[in-house]
Amino acid sequence: MEEREGEVRWDGLCSRDAAARRAALDTIGQAVLRRAQSIAPGTAALPAARDGLAEALARLLLLAKRCPFPDVREKSEAILGGVQELGIRIPRPLGHGPSRFIPETETIQVGKEDATMHTLFAESFATLGRLDNVTLVMVFHPQYLESFLKTQHYLLQMDGPLPLHYRHYIGIMAAARHQCSYLVNLHVNDFLHVGGDPKWLNGLENAPQKLQNLGELNKMLAHRPWLITKEHIEQLLKTEENSWSLAELIHAVVLLTHYHSLASFTFGCGISPEIDCEGGHTFRPPSVSNYCICDITNGYHGVDEIHASPAGSVPVSSTESVCEVEALMEKMKQLQECRDEEEASQEEMATRFEREKRESMFVCSSEDEESAATRDVSRHFEDTSYGYKDFSRHGMHVPTFRVQDYSWEDHGYSLVNRLYPDVGQLLDEKFHIAYNLTYNTMAMHKDVDTSMLRRAIWNYIHCMFGIRYDDYDYGEINQLLDRSFKVYIKTVVCTPEKTTKRMYDSFWRQFEHSEKVHVNLLLVEARMQAELLYALRAITRYMT
């Protein structure tokens, strides 16, 4: 990408070599201070110079607050201090940490992580050029985070069928389906960084026809994947000069499903805007007079900060919450005993599945939830009225997809690995880690086998998509998942942009935030696998 004159270059900061990072920061500091001196009070400056400085200062704020390397944090703080001495207002963070739902004091603090987490943070920073808020919430579960980062790095940056700018644009298209401005903002920056044409960002109609043709598959995968047929695949593969190869299409499908499900995680965990992005910082002075640069790295945001209570906005007595946990454990015990005593017939199992699938269509919140505030991202996709809510309100029938006929393990995995080598293996590892992850705890209880509960959550999500496991008794779902939990699951998976803190607070009220993040990992992977199953089955049918 052509470098603009006077542009601050950040690339060297991604180096794993401390000397190279220091050299890069010295260069950045000199460029920022020169620009700051040119617009110091009493000097004339072009608006572009001011905008450029504001962007650079916001990025330095991110480094001072969120870089895993102490030398970078300290140097960034010093550069900001130098700018402040010139009489220029510096930014300060907004919000309360990486999540709007989880108090910052209960998340992992950068600079206080253990050796394992530091390695993950350093790897993430070196790969992405930042330590983003998704990583800072996912790190509750380091084993999963490591797999997630490895997979995402491969999809976006390693050798593959699609050019780099296409990959980020497809990420934008997918995230925009759920109005996820957090992910859209990140990938707009990445798209431009790898040489993407800024005109494409004015609307999908400005992108190449080949990408426009992907719009139909994007919206169906995001909202109604059961409607995908081999004819949709054929249209993409046989469109003459704008056609996709099978390998390119597999890459695109994996990217679309990855970012649809990551949008679910972003909203489900209340991920805050990045410090250097819109909504993550402000240049307005705080409401106290003794605020100084040292406060930035100490996490102080001024007296106007509102500290969220861990209990959230849903008042509940601790006794009631403890009873909730005890009741759930007792149900798990009773269900295990029933399994040992008798087994339902295949006919009864099928009936229970159809009942659960039908009931899941009508699970919705009793309140008129409002979507989280987002910038307008609709220009990145077409048919803005198309969504899951239309299906549920009109009571349309979802056909049953039997896993015994087409499964990830027996069919999808090998297809992906054949057309996009190693990705099938990476996805399979990520699915298994999310599904099998356990610390054998439930709230305050230890040595608990949670496999029954994890399977109920996974299978409920697949049930909402019409996917049935013949060997599972769907009657267990109503025993283990109460209404508030079902509302949360349905919202996060199907209409994540409508997720609210009240929903997050309302389920499993005595459980740790790490356990609620664990639930979100199950939702992310179960949703991604469900979308993939429908798309890969259609591709398989086209090929045969």
Side-chain angles (χ1 to χ4, degrees):
M1 184 176 174
E2 185 180 342
E3 186 173 341
R4 297 191 299 270
E5 184 179 355
E7 183 179 23
V8 178
R9 303 298 295 174
W10 305 89
D11 307 38
L13 290 176
C14 296
S15 174
R16 291 173 171 82
D17 179 63
R21 290 197 303 271
R22 282 195 294 272
L25 260 180
D26 285 340
T27 303
I28 289 168
Q30 291 164 12
V32 169
L33 287 171
R34 277 198 306 271
R35 188 171 287 186
Q37 287 164 351
S38 73
I39 65 169
T43 63
L46 294 172
R50 292 182 178 277
D51 291 343
L53 179 62
E55 290 172 12
L57 294 178
R59 184 69 184 271
L60 284 165
L61 175 66
L62 176 70
L63 292 172
K65 183 81 172 159
R66 296 280 166 79
C67 181
F69 303 116
D71 56 335
V72 175
R73 291 200 300 271
E74 292 164 9
K75 180 68 174 177
S76 301
E77 180 183 341
I79 296 169
L80 285 169
V83 172
Q84 190 177 41
E85 287 175 4
L86 293 171
I88 293 175
R89 188 174 293 163
I90 60 170
R92 61 188 179 89
L94 286 173
H96 321 287
S99 166
R100 292 180 294 110
F101 297 171
I102 305 171
E104 187 171 14
T105 53
E106 296 189 37
T107 59
I108 305 298
Q109 303 296 302
V110 178
K112 298 179 181 178
E113 69 275 9
D114 62 26
T116 301
M117 291 182 181
H118 179 76
T119 301
L120 282 172
F121 283 172
E123 186 65 32
S124 177
F125 186 84
T127 301
L128 303 173
R130 63 170 64 238
L131 192 56
D132 64 26
N133 289 336
V134 165
T135 298
L136 290 171
V137 173
M138 274 189 187
V139 80
F140 274 120
H141 306 284
Q143 184 188 6
Y144 175 85
L145 175 60
E146 183 177 13
S147 177
F148 172 86
L149 290 174
K150 188 164 56 172
T151 303
Q152 184 168 262
H153 175 63
Y154 198 98
L155 292 175
L156 292 176
Q157 293 174 280
M158 299 296 283
D159 289 343
L162 294 173
L164 297 182
H165 61 302
Y166 265 52
R167 302 180 196 192
H168 290 293
Y169 197 81
I170 290 169
I172 293 168
M173 288 173 63
R177 281 286 357 154
H178 287 306
Q179 303 162 42
C180 187
S181 58
Y182 172 86
L183 291 174
V184 168
N185 285 336
L186 286 183
H187 285 282
V188 162
N189 292 335
D190 291 337
F191 171 77
L192 295 172
H193 182 71
V194 298
D197 186 344
K199 291 176 186 163
W200 296 11
L201 300 174
N202 292 330
L204 186 57
E205 68 276 6
N206 296 289
Q209 188 61 45
K210 183 171 179 174
L211 282 168
Q212 292 184 45
N213 293 345
L214 198 63
E216 185 75 8
L217 185 65
N218 181 26
K219 76 176 186 181
M220 284 192 296
L221 270 175
H223 307 296
R224 307 177 197 174
W226 51 86
L227 296 181
I228 298 171
T229 65
K230 66 177 183 180
E231 285 73 29
H232 293 112
I233 304 304
E234 186 174 14
Q235 286 172 9
L236 290 167
L237 296 174
K238 292 189 173 180
T239 323
E240 298 175 355
E241 73 271 14
N242 297 312
S243 65
W244 293 74
S245 70
L246 267 172
E248 287 175 332
L249 185 58
I250 288 289
H251 194 170
V253 163
V254 174
L255 283 167
L256 289 171
T257 57
H258 175 80
Y259 283 104
H260 293 156
S261 57
L262 190 54
S264 284
F265 183 87
T266 300
F267 285 115
C269 291
I271 300 296
S272 301
E274 293 298 323
I275 288 174
D276 61 331
C277 289
E278 182 182 344
H281 63 276
T282 180
F283 283 87
R284 288 186 292 105
S287 53
V288 290
S289 58
N290 60 346
Y291 179 78
C292 69
I293 181 63
C294 59
D295 292 324
I296 291 174
T297 50
N298 293 332
Y300 175 73
H301 306 142
V303 296
D304 54 343
E305 178 174 312
I306 301 170
H307 296 281
S309 163
S313 58
V314 181
V316 59
S317 70
S318 59
T319 305
E320 184 182 342
S321 292
V322 170
C323 290
E324 188 179 61
V325 178
E326 301 287 356
L328 179 55
M329 291 183 65
E330 182 60 30
K331 285 177 183 176
M332 289 165 62
K333 180 182 175 184
Q334 291 172 358
L335 285 170
Q336 187 58 55
E337 291 170 353
C338 290
R339 276 185 186 176
D340 297 338
E341 291 173 7
E342 60 178 319
E343 188 173 319
S345 66
Q346 280 298 312
E347 292 77 10
E348 177 61 23
M349 301 264 265
T351 300
R352 289 174 184 176
F353 168 77
E354 292 298 334
R355 183 187 304 128
E356 191 61 51
K357 183 176 71 171
R358 188 171 57 252
E359 288 178 1
S360 75
M361 292 167 52
F362 300 103
V363 170
C364 60
S365 174
S366 59
E367 25 184 326
D368 184 18
E369 305 290 359
E370 292 186 9
S371 302
T374 62
R375 74 172 207 180
D376 178 28
V377 295
S378 62
R379 64 181 180 278
H380 298 298
F381 63 92
E382 298 173 303
D383 195 358
T384 56
S385 64
Y386 191 97
Y388 186 92
K389 64 180 182 182
D390 296 332
F391 138 72
S392 60
R393 285 179 181 173
H394 296 154
M396 292 167 61
H397 177 67
V398 181
T400 295
F401 181 124
R402 295 179 72 250
V403 169
Q404 277 66 21
D405 298 333
Y406 194 96
S407 69
W408 166 255
E409 292 79 8
D410 297 333
H411 306 90
Y413 167 82
S414 57
L415 177 61
V416 172
N417 244 18
R418 178 152 49 96
L419 294 168
Y420 190 7
D422 298 328
V423 170
Q425 181 65 41
L426 288 168
L427 292 175
D428 193 58
E429 176 186 299
K430 190 158 62 78
F431 290 148
H432 276 93
I433 289 173
Y435 187 87
N436 295 311
L437 186 66
T438 182
Y439 305 94
N440 298 114
T441 60
M442 277 182 62
M444 70 294 293
H445 297 278
K446 301 187 185 306
D447 300 317
V448 181
D449 180 358
T450 61
S451 57
M452 179 184 291
L453 186 56
R454 284 181 278 119
R455 190 180 185 192
I457 294 168
W458 186 280
N459 287 0
Y460 179 61
I461 295 159
H462 278 194
C463 179
M464 292 191 301
F465 286 94
I467 298 171
R468 182 192 168 203
Y469 296 83
D470 285 353
D471 61 347
Y472 183 69
D473 181 357
Y474 287 84
E476 292 186 3
I477 289 175
N478 273 337
Q479 297 292 315
L480 298 175
L481 312 184
D482 62 23
R483 186 183 180 281
S484 63
F485 193 13
K486 283 185 172 182
V487 166
Y488 179 78
I489 292 173
K490 173 81 174 284
T491 306
V492 171
V493 171
C494 300
T495 52
E497 62 276 11
K498 294 187 176 180
T499 309
T500 65
K501 188 174 186 299
R502 177 177 290 276
M503 289 180 186
Y504 176 90
D505 290 335
S506 293
F507 84 92
W508 285 11
R509 291 167 291 186
Q510 196 65 22
F511 284 70
E512 301 289 338
H513 287 292
S514 61
E515 291 173 303
K516 293 194 174 192
V517 172
H518 186 179
V519 166
N520 273 275
L521 301 184
L522 284 168
L523 306 192
V524 163
E525 298 304 332
R527 175 185 179 173
M528 183 174 184
Q529 192 179 97
E531 288 188 27
L532 277 174
L533 282 173
Y534 279 108
L536 296 175
R537 184 179 68 169
I539 291 172
T540 299
R541 286 176 173 175
Y542 165 79
M543 293 170 67
T544 54

